[in-house]
Amino acid sequence: MTVTSRRSVLRTAALLPLALAVPAFAQAQAKKHRLLIAVSDNDPGKWNMVMNNVKNAQEDVGGVDKIDIEVVAYGPGINMLRSETPVAGHINDLLKTGVKVVGCENTMKNLKLEKSQMMSTIGYVPAAVTEIMRKQEEGWAYVRP
Amino acid sequence: MTVTSRRSVLRTAALLPLALAVPAFAQAQAKKHRLLIAVSDNDPGKWNMVMNNVKNAQEDVGGVDKIDIEVVAYGPGINMLRSETPVAGHINDLLKTGVKVVGCENTMKNLKLEKSQMMSTIGYVPAAVTEIMRKQEEGWAYVRP
Amino acid sequence: MTVTSRRSVLRTAALLPLALAVPAFAQAQAKKHRLLIAVSDNDPGKWNMVMNNVKNAQEDVGGVDKIDIEVVAYGPGINMLRSETPVAGHINDLLKTGVKVVGCENTMKNLKLEKSQMMSTIGYVPAAVTEIMRKQEEGWAYVRP
């Protein structure tokens, strides 16, 4: 093996980690934004703000296909998702754009709330606190208005 | 050096970054969840919610050994940790499961609160705001109920 | 090629990913702290707490040059930045230390607030919710007092 051929092997090897990194970087660039909004206050004014936040986020990033949004309601905020919520129309509008809206089953157990008392269009998570944690572990941004 | 042996060197070199990455990946998989819950409201209803959040998180991830939890109280939330707090029993129960509960010394200085006026079982951090920042820098999830 | 020279090539190749990683690591060590504080409550008590949080963070990390801080106000929190805000003096003091203080233009549109009604020294972002998201995407810590 000549010095040249040896250098060539090393040069190629040196480039390999970079070569492997490129697809990951390109993937990151193409990645959708991911936003978790958590609602824990029993405050219709705040619920309206959240609805505006979601629409603003969708517009600001350039469209609903550029961002995954999940709204999770728990604690006193669970009332945002009851059948009689004043923001039902807003929530259903957001659901049509692909936003996920979920309630915390632990909160519901504590408050003896049945799914029959909730909006029929929403989803559920077992525990909001771990939903918020896991989403952050996966790289989602967390906003608590 | 034949073409074959050279390819073999390259192939081995190409695998090295992956080989180095495997232990880190395995480590990440085995890593405990890490959750910081910050309390800044003077609201016993919210304090109870936090206590529930901690228990729910421990159950939802499969046990207290699967998650590190720290609860930091600051601003008006510092009252959660005073001797006469209504959630003292709850807090002592959580401490037994390995949860860290800490108060903000900056808040205490501002409010002229002495450690003798606080629960004797808790810990302290110099500044809650940097505790929350540093934990996020280390990869902890942040929940502000 | 002897076994020894081949091992030497492999050993060198094995070290390359680490060698490449060193500058990134050193850079990370030298990196400033980055902290986004979001204010969404119409509560002068909370605004004072935020002002204290900023000063405490600057002191706790060892000086204003060790940390980039941005304070974003939105929703009912936008009032913190109106000309008649009780924390104007505090805000101007923070601005002198390099802290960025910005208001949410979406909130202002909703509330029909003009820039002429706001402190003249502050800045603006189009949407607070995406500001909070993007800063987290860039690795900033998020604190919601």
Side-chain angles (χ1 to χ4, degrees), chain A residues 1 6 9-10 13-14 17-18 33-35 37 41 46 49 52-53 56-57 60-61 67 140-145, chain C residues 1 5 8-9 12-13 16-17 20 40-41 74-76 106 110 126-127 129-130 132-134 136-137 142 144:
Chain A
M1 195 184 188
R6 195 160 171 176
V9 170
L10 283 177
L18 289 175
H33 298 282
R34 294 174 299 165
L35 173 63
I37 303 182
D41 291 320
K46 191 149 284 179
M49 192 170 89
N52 287 333
N53 283 171
N56 290 338
D60 196 54
V61 298
I67 185 165
W140 288 55
Y142 161 58
V143 173
R144 196 285 190 197
Chain C
M1 194 182 188
S5 77
S8 148
V9 169
T12 314
L16 287 168
L20 286 168
S40 59
D41 290 320
Y74 70 115
N106 268 322
N110 284 344
V129 65
T130 45
I132 300 171
M133 178 184 73
R134 288 181 206 273
Q136 286 180 71
E137 288 173 351
Y142 162 58
R144 196 283 189 198

Side-chain angles (χ1 to χ4, degrees), chain B residues 54 58 64-65 67 91-100:
Chain B
V54 173
Q58 290 173 330
V64 298
D65 53 319
I67 186 166
I91 289 174
N92 285 326
D93 285 348
L94 296 183
L95 289 169
K96 281 175 208 149
T97 67
V99 172
K100 254 182 97 175

Side-chain angles (χ1 to χ4, degrees), chain A residues 90-141:
Chain A
H90 274 304
I91 290 174
N92 284 327
D93 285 348
L94 296 184
L95 290 170
K96 281 176 207 147
T97 67
V99 172
K100 254 183 97 176
V101 180
V102 296
C104 171
E105 292 179 337
N106 268 323
T107 299
M108 292 174 60
K109 247 176 273 167
N110 284 345
L111 302 178
K112 313 214 182 311
L113 267 174
E114 302 292 331
K115 287 187 183 175
S116 60
Q117 299 171 269
M118 310 297 285
M119 287 182 66
S120 60
T121 44
I122 60 159
Y124 295 92
V125 291
V129 64
T130 45
E131 179 70 6
I132 299 170
M133 178 184 73
R134 288 181 205 274
K135 284 279 187 274
Q136 286 179 70
E137 287 173 352
E138 292 167 17
W140 288 55

